[in-house]
Amino acid sequence: MESGYTKSSDSHPVLTDRLARPLRDLRISVIDQCNFRCRYCMPRDLFSEGHPFLAPRQLLTFPEIEAVVRAGVGLGIRKVKITGGEPLLRPGLDQLIRRLTQIPDLEDVGLITNGSQLTVAAERLKAAGLKRISVSLDSLEPQTFSWITDRAGDPARILNGIDAARRAGLAPVKVNMVVQRGINSAEAVKMAAQFRGTGVIVRFIEYMDVGSRHHYQSGLLVPSREIRDAVHARWPIEPAGSNYFGEVADRYRYLDGAGEIGFISSMTQPFCGSCTRLRLAADGKLYNCLFASEGLDLRSILRADAAKRSQTEALQLASPEVCRRLEEALSGFWRARDDRYSERRQEQNSDTEPQRRKVEMYQMGG
Ligand code: SAM
Ligand code: SF4
Ligand code: SF4
């Protein structure tokens, strides 16, 4: 299949990759550090307290991130999600949100967080222009929650954060639950019950073999179908259709009108065919798949003329020459893209692909 440009329904050119997928979304990791040590993401044995995370000067600055987003918007990006590591650990994050929400043609700026700082941050995020938020919460039981996050903690704190987000007017609020067999799978219906009728949308996520370092155990995978059947047996649900092309969650609504839930089934029902996402890591590497091994270094493009620029200029936007090079780099990268890891894994009928080193989820952002 030829990559290049096609016309969208509103007659804007749409950049497509080698599998004819348009570029629409960008996930931006703003920091690689986290205050949790979820065992499926940053196991404590590999990510101890002294772990060498990125130094502040290695992180893209907010003007640099804005320059990448503006270049991407020129190529078709309409949705951005801020992630990490834990994005609320990045100092001054509301300033980045303020910058991004002012970019013309960028229709949606979202954020995904572990919720631990949300009680304090919700109002500030809303005031900066954030509209919606996703909060990760895998368990309502203090013991299980602490075991999964490998940190003494209480899910009540996250629930308070979710309440603060709702009170601040962030909408929709989504709750993401990664389901693992024998660890929190028995809690799936309870999680649905917790948020039914509140407007909060729970999304059940299949445990994935992202990265190479978190000791993936295929026996812990719970196919979404099982959770869907369990919820349906308690409160009947029906498919609700998707909101837009490339939506990762299969949406369902409760027949009694108590709202909706979703399922993200990348292991058992891969959606590579409609994957419209690029990922920007905190160090400026760009990845075209969650399971990529190599990224494209945008930081060196962004800082190519740093020596020539004064400190004040460096706080402003990139030069026209840097913007042109960024756009060229993004466009070439997307046009060459033919990644479809999850579909290939399924075709090969294998649970994982252990031989190849993959970039970690906390680095490129989930
Ligand atoms: N720290 C924030 C959080 O936890 O929401 C944002 C970054 S985190 C990497 C983004 C999402 O990736 C979270 O919902 C997390 O549960 C999910 N995630 C991380 N590792 C995963 C895995 N092995 N399988 C499925 N989801 C995973
Ligand atoms: Fe941190 Fe999110 Fe990874 Fe958990 S999933 S360790 S909260 S980055
Ligand atoms: Fe997209 Fe890669 Fe996931 Fe497929 S495996 S849906 S291409 S991120």
Side-chain angles (χ1 to χ4, degrees):
M1 189 110 35
E2 275 294 292
S3 62
Y5 286 94
T6 58
K7 292 271 184 202
S8 70
S9 52
D10 55 7
S11 86
H12 281 99
V14 174
L15 182 67
T16 51
D17 68 7
R18 285 168 62 189
L19 302 177
R21 297 169 295 190
L23 172 60
R24 301 298 287 177
D25 313 67
L26 178 66
R27 303 261 164 120
I28 304 171
S29 171
V30 290
I31 191 164
D32 60 342
Q33 296 180 41
C34 188
N35 52 336
F36 286 4
R37 287 290 180 274
C38 303
R39 291 167 197 265
Y40 53 59
C41 179
M42 296 174 83
R44 201 174 276 285
D45 57 334
L46 297 174
F47 300 93
S48 58
E49 296 310 330
H51 185 80
F53 290 103
L54 294 169
R57 70 188 147 70
Q58 294 176 301
L59 300 175
L60 288 195
T61 64
F62 293 160
E64 287 171 338
I65 293 175
E66 181 182 350
V68 175
V69 175
R70 283 184 182 269
V73 168
L75 298 169
I77 286 174
R78 294 293 175 266
K79 287 166 68 77
V80 155
K81 189 177 258 185
I82 298 169
T83 173
E86 173 44 44
L88 296 185
L89 296 185
R90 175 81 188 248
L93 186 70
D94 43 322
Q95 292 162 32
L96 176 67
I97 291 169
R98 202 160 271 124
R99 283 172 174 271
L100 299 185
T101 49
Q102 283 167 15
I103 297 177
D105 290 337
L106 184 60
E107 293 161 7
D108 189 24
V109 178
L111 175 91
I112 177 158
T113 169
N114 65 24
S116 59
Q117 320 290 310
L118 203 48
T119 328
V120 182
E123 289 279 356
R124 212 173 52 233
L125 295 171
K126 172 70 179 166
L130 191 74
K131 296 215 166 47
R132 57 193 196 83
I133 198 160
S134 303
V135 183
S136 302
L137 177 60
D138 293 342
S139 175
L140 296 165
E141 305 285 345
Q143 255 191 328
T144 312
F145 176 83
S146 299
W147 191 86
I148 294 172
T149 57
D150 204 0
R151 202 194 111 132
D154 188 345
R157 183 183 172 113
I158 317 301
L159 291 173
N160 288 339
I162 292 169
D163 278 346
R166 294 173 63 202
R167 277 197 310 276
L170 292 165
V173 175
K174 293 180 183 167
V175 167
N176 286 355
M177 175 183 187
V178 176
V179 184
Q180 294 183 287
R181 193 175 301 285
I183 293 176
N184 63 348
S185 47
E187 275 193 71
V189 172
K190 187 174 166 192
M191 189 67 82
Q194 173 79 28
F195 295 105
R196 254 174 59 83
T198 65
V200 174
I201 300 168
V202 177
R203 300 189 315 173
F204 299 99
I205 300 180
E206 284 180 350
Y207 164 57
M208 294 184 286
D209 58 330
V210 281
S212 316
R213 306 183 64 185
H214 78 266
H215 325 307
Y216 184 76
Q217 292 170 265
S218 55
L220 300 184
L221 168 68
V222 182
S224 290
R225 154 179 39 85
E226 280 185 34
I227 311 291
R228 198 187 56 211
D229 291 350
V231 175
H232 183 69
R234 182 72 182 79
W235 306 283
I237 50 176
E238 65 177 6
S242 57
N243 284 319
Y244 54 87
F245 177 78
E247 188 168 37
V248 294
D250 287 328
R251 299 172 54 223
Y252 282 77
R253 70 170 76 88
Y254 291 109
L255 291 185
D256 64 4
E260 83 173 65
I261 54 174
F263 299 91
I264 302 183
S265 320
S266 22
M267 298 297 291
T268 61
Q269 291 170 275
F271 35 78
C272 301
S274 61
C275 179
T276 56
R277 271 174 302 288
L278 269 179
R279 296 185 148 84
L280 179 65
D283 63 358
K285 290 253 174 56
L286 190 69
Y287 297 97
N288 49 23
C289 178
L290 189 52
F291 298 89
S293 303
E294 298 296 332
L296 176 71
D297 179 14
L298 296 184
R299 194 177 64 195
S300 59
I301 299 178
L302 283 156
R303 298 190 182 171
D305 64 353
K308 287 187 266 163
R309 307 180 87 214
S310 68
Q311 268 198 339
T312 334
E313 280 172 331
L315 291 174
Q316 292 156 6
L317 271 188
S319 69
E321 170 59 13
V322 165
C323 294
R324 191 190 57 71
R325 288 189 57 204
L326 267 182
E327 202 166 310
E328 245 174 47
L330 257 73
S331 156
F333 195 58
W334 188 260
R335 289 168 71 146
R337 175 183 191 248
D338 63 358
D339 300 67
R340 44 187 289 279
Y341 173 91
S342 295
E343 283 181 356
R344 284 214 179 92
R345 176 188 47 214
Q346 201 177 48
E347 284 160 14
Q348 289 161 5
N349 200 16
S350 125
D351 284 331
T352 59
E353 195 195 22
Q355 318 85 328
R356 184 170 59 89
R357 193 194 71 82
K358 294 172 278 175
V359 179
E360 302 302 312
M361 182 82 135
Y362 79 94
Q363 291 174 310
M364 72 161 79

